[in-house]
Amino acid sequence: MARLVEVKRQVLSKNDRLASKLRRRFAKAGVTVFNLVSSPGSGKTALLEQTLRKLKERNYRVAALVGDLQTENDAQRLRRSGAQVKQINTCGLCHLEAQMVEDQLQDWTLEELDFLFIENVGNLVCPSAFDLGENLRVVLLSVTEGEDKPLKYPPVFISAGLVVITKVDLSEPCKFDEALVLKNLEAVHPGVPVLSTSAHSGEGMDSWLDFLESSRS
Amino acid sequence: MARLVEVKRQVLSKNDRLASKLRRRFAKAGVTVFNLVSSPGSGKTALLEQTLRKLKERNYRVAALVGDLQTENDAQRLRRSGAQVKQINTCGLCHLEAQMVEDQLQDWTLEELDFLFIENVGNLVCPSAFDLGENLRVVLLSVTEGEDKPLKYPPVFISAGLVVITKVDLSEPCKFDEALVLKNLEAVHPGVPVLSTSAHSGEGMDSWLDFLESSRS
């Protein structure tokens, strides 16, 4: 066990160094980078599909990297927005690492982008330890998952720069208690900003887009 | 990276040996063991709460081990059923391992149990590689998560002895396409049995309980 901990420490430390290098590279190129993390099925791809489309309408140059254990489905779906999209197939690995991001950037000119979104593997645990060089980590929590999730999975919520509550069009059938989620978020990460959205109904999308725009300045 | 793979291989191999030992011990004691795996918020605890209660009504002796990164909340909730319940706090680890299960069994007399349920950490990736000595691995998939999950997270669905579709009371607002999920499950794990349940409305609970009973014989 001690050996595993030591090897993991080395992997994380190597990842952190590469992430710092990526962060400097992104800043120099003037591209703002978001790392989207959540459980499987929290609506990362649905939010991202609308986001890419709407940012293009606002004349931003956008791209996305999409991590999955397998399949090209999400990349295909996101390409319908007209944005540049690449799939990162992790071959079973439970999270993205900075090296996987760097590998995908080789034939992209970052200077030609305003926003880059990285959709992590659906996992509320493991991605929290891996910095990808992003400007901001966005943790999604859907109203279907239960209000206790911040208390049960604190590391990822502590690492969040923004929490986006998703699928709010389902709040009523799910009897979602927003005040309780906000209280639980405040308990594990005091002051973390929170937005509520539905990619389906469009609710909250303008606030999310405004947040993204303001993060450029 | 090669070192990490080698250390992981050793960890898995050690886990497999201990799981085999546990499986023999469970069989000798006459206790039937289920390992419940799913994304965070798929309804493992809700299903388990009802299951423990109903099995007690049918005069079975039941117990549960509940894995979480943090908090005792789930164990407290499950104890309301009157069953013996212990919380395994993984201190941030993303899955349960056979050693954690064995550690918890020290002061329980397995011969006095008919059913033992192990609720894994909410994670659709990492628990798939760790055998806990269970008789059957039950993978839950809620109707809120999207029909594509079997294709995107194949290892855990391949490892399933049974798939339970949960929260079917939300099928309509989620526009859940059951035929599509069944098709996707069949693509990754042909012939895997599937049940549909709602711990909230009670739908499908009798079939699930009958399945559990029949697995004892």
Side-chain angles (χ1 to χ4, degrees), chain A residues 143-144 147 166-178 203, chain B residues 169-170 173-174 200:
Chain A
V143 301
T144 66
E147 294 82 358
T166 57
K167 305 193 189 184
V168 294
D169 55 298
L170 293 172
S171 293
E172 209 176 288
C174 292
K175 298 182 182 61
F176 177 65
D177 184 344
E178 191 185 16
E203 187 179 336
Chain B
D169 57 297
L170 293 172
C174 292
H200 185 68

Side-chain angles (χ1 to χ4, degrees), chain A residues 68 74 122 144 152-153 167, chain B residues 68 74 122 144 152-153 167:
Chain A
D68 274 305
D74 281 358
T144 66
K152 290 181 62 183
Y153 301 85
K167 305 193 189 184
Chain B
D68 274 305
D74 282 358
T144 66
K152 291 181 62 183
Y153 301 85
K167 305 194 189 185

Side-chain angles (χ1 to χ4, degrees), chain A residues 3-4 7 10 39-41 68-71 74 94 122-123 125-126 144-145 149 151-154 167 170 173, chain B residues 3-4 7 10 39-41 68-71 74 94 122-123 125-126 144-145 149 151-154 167 170 173:
Chain A
R3 263 186 69 205
L4 183 63
V7 173
Q10 289 176 20
S39 300
D68 274 305
L69 303 193
Q70 290 204 16
T71 82
D74 281 358
C94 55
N123 186 329
V125 187
C126 313
T144 66
E145 289 172 66
K149 294 302 162 291
L151 302 179
K152 290 181 62 183
Y153 301 85
K167 305 193 189 184
L170 293 172
Chain B
R3 262 186 70 204
L4 183 63
V7 173
Q10 289 176 20
S39 300
D68 274 305
L69 302 194
Q70 291 204 13
T71 80
D74 282 358
C94 54
N123 185 330
V125 187
C126 313
T144 66
E145 289 173 66
K149 293 303 162 290
L151 302 178
K152 291 181 62 183
Y153 301 85
K167 305 194 189 185
L170 293 172

